[in-house]
Amino acid sequence: NQVMLNEKLFTMSHEVHRLEQEVAKYKHSGDPFHVIKGKSAAIQSTIDLAKKVCTVKSTVLILGESGVGKEVFAKAIHDASEKP
């Protein structure tokens, strides 16, 4: 019985997390960079640079170690460059 309740709790927690992410998409739909976590000066300067890149029609190469968020930046740049 306890195992079944634990599985239900895990499933519900996963669903809550998914719904929170879905709500966040609509909450900050104006700024595609809102999904980037971090408030350090390095992150902020990288976000500022990425925002400048969005204004120019160009190919961008993003380099970095595995797990640093290259794909998150790429998606934000792509989404921001498609806005009118």
Side-chain angles (χ1 to χ4, degrees):
N1 195 17
Q2 189 176 5
V3 172
M4 192 171 70
L5 288 173
N6 192 28
E7 288 175 359
K8 281 186 176 182
L9 177 62
F10 177 77
T11 303
M12 289 292 122
S13 295
H14 187 269
E15 182 65 12
V16 166
H17 180 68
R18 187 189 69 75
L19 291 171
E20 285 174 341
Q21 289 179 327
E22 191 70 24
V23 168
K25 287 180 190 175
Y26 297 105
K27 186 176 180 182
H28 300 286
S29 61
D31 182 16
F33 292 92
H34 79 279
V35 297
I36 299 173
K37 306 293 184 220
K39 302 294 181 203
S40 70
I43 289 289
Q44 292 305 314
S45 71
T46 305
I47 290 172
D48 291 342
L49 179 60
K51 286 181 178 180
K52 289 178 186 175
V53 168
C54 297
T55 63
V56 181
K57 184 173 178 154
S58 177
T59 301
V60 178
L61 175 63
I62 302 173
L63 300 172
E65 295 180 24
S66 177
V68 296
K70 297 181 297 291
E71 187 174 328
V72 176
F73 269 92
K75 180 163 178 23
I77 291 169
H78 176 76
D79 292 347
S81 66
E82 288 188 341
K83 291 194 175 210

